[in-house]
C-alpha cells in the first residue's frame, strides 16, 4: 500500500500542486483559441503565469493590469470629453431647454436653430455626449471576455487552478467561503462609480440616481457570491486599478500632463423631464432639421430649373 501511494504521488505533475500554469495546459483541455477574445485572454493569463512563475492568481492580476493599461489612452480621452461636457453644462441646458420648448410649441424652425447652436457648442469645445460611451464600449466586452474565460477555466476545471490562489482562497475554482472577495468587489465597484473614475462625479443633488446605483451594487453581492474566486481576482484587481487611477488623476500636475481640463463647479438645479424626454426632443429636432434641409435643397433645385427655363428676350431690329 505504501509503495502504491508513493508511486501515485510520483505520478502527480509538480506544476499542478504548485498552482503555476505551464504553456499548452489550456490547449490540452480544448481551451485557448487564437481566434476569439476569450481564447486570447485565456492564453495571456496562462503565459503570464507560466513565464513569471506566479500562481494563476498572480497571472490573472498581471493580465488585468496589462489590459487596463492598454485601455488607458481611451480612458483619458473619455475623461477629457466628460470634463468638457461638465464645464459647458449651463450652455447645454440652455440650448436643450430652448429646443424642448420650441418642439412643444410646434416651432420647428426655432428647435432646429437651437439644435444647430448645441452642435456648434459641442464642436467648439471638442466634446460630445456620445463620446462618453467609448470607454464603456471597450470595457464591457473586456469584462465579459474575462468573465467567460475564467468561468470556463474554473468550470472544467483546470486542475492546477485548484492550487493557484493565495491566502484563504487557494482554490480558484471554488467560491469564497468567507464572502470576503465578493464584499470587496462590490464595495470597490460602488466607490468607483460614486467617486467618478472617468471624470464625472455622481451629482449630490440627484439622490434618486445615487440610490438606484447603490441598490444595483448591493444586489450584485448575493447574485455573484457563488462565483469562483478566479472571477473575483480579476474583478477586485480591476476595481483597485480604477481607484488608483482616480487618485493619481486628482493630482493637478498629472491632469495637466494628460490634457484634462480643470472642472468647473456649476450650481444648477437638477434637470427635469429625464433622459427619455430629452432624447425624444433631440430626435424630433433632428428629424425637423433633416426635413428643413431637404426642403431647402428642393427649393434651390426648383429655382435653378426656373432660371434655366427663362427664354432670353429677342433684340428689336
Amino acid at each position: 500500500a505504501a509503495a502504491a501511494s508513493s508511486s501515485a504521488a510520483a505520478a502527480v505533475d509538480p506544476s499542478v500542486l504548485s498552482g503555476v500554469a505551464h504553456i499548452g495546459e489550456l490547449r490540452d483541455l480544448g481551451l485557448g483559441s487564437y481566434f476569439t477574445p476569450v481564447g486570447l485572454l485565456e492564453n495571456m493569463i496562462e503565459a503570464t503565469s507560466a513565464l513569471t512563475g506566479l500562481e494563476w492568481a498572480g497571472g490573472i492580476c498581471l493580465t488585468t493590469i496589462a489590459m487596463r493599461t492598454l485601455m488607458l489612452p481611451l480612458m483619458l480621452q473619455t475623461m477629457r470629453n466628460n470634463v468638457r461636457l461638465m464645464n459647458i453644462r449651463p450652455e447645454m441646458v440652455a440650448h436643450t431647454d430652448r429646443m424642448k420648448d420650441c418642439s412643444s410649441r410646434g416651432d420647428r424652425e426655432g428647435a432646429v436653430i437651437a439644435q444647430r447652436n448645441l452642435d456648434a457648442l459641442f464642436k467648439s469645445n471638442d466634446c460630445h455626449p456620445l463620446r462618453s460611451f467609448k470607454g464603456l464600449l471597450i470595457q464591457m466586452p473586456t469584462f465579459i471576455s474575462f468573465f467567460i474565460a475564467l468561468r470556463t477555466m474554473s468550470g472544467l476545471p483546470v486542475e492546477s487552478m485548484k492550487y493557484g490562489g493565495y491566502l484563504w482562497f487557494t482554490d480558484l475554482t471554488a467560491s469564497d467561503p468567507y464572502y470576503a472577495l465578493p464584499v470587496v468587489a462590490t464595495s470597490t465597484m460602488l466607490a468607483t462609480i460614486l467617486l467618478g473614475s472617468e471624470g464625472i462625479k455622481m451629482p449630490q443633488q440627484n439622490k434618486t440616481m445615487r440610490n438606484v446605483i447603490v441598490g444595483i451594487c448591493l444586489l450584485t453581492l448575493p447574485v455573484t457570491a457563488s462565483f469562483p474566486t478566479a472571477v473575483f481576482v480579476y474583478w477586485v484587481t480591476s476595481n483597485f486599478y480604477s481607484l488608483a487611477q482616480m487618485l493619481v488623476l486628482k493630482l493637478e500636475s498629472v491632469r495637466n500632463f494628460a490634457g484634462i481640463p480643470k472642472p468647473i463647479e456649476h450650481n444648477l438645479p437638477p434637470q427635469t423631464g429625464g433622459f427619455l424626454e430629452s432624447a425624444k426632443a433631440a430626435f424630433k429636432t433632428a428629424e425637423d432639421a433633416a426635413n428643413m434641409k431637404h426642403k431647402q435643397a428642393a427649393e434651390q433645385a426648383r429655382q435653378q430649373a426656373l432660371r434655366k427655363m427663362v427664354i432670353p428676350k429677342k433684340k428689336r431690329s
Side-chain angles (χ1 to χ4, degrees), residues 179-192 217 220-221 224 231-237 239-240:
Y179 301 102
L181 290 177
V183 170
V184 173
T186 302
S187 302
T188 51
M189 178 178 67
L190 182 60
T192 301
C217 289
T220 62
L221 182 57
T224 62
V231 173
F232 285 107
V233 171
Y234 157 72
W235 197 355
V236 169
T237 303
N239 288 350
F240 273 111

Side-chain angles (χ1 to χ4, degrees), residues 292-306:
M292 184 174 294
K293 187 176 181 180
H294 177 73
K295 289 179 181 179
Q296 290 174 350
E299 181 63 22
Q300 290 177 357
R302 189 178 72 84
Q303 294 294 339
Q304 290 178 357
L306 287 175

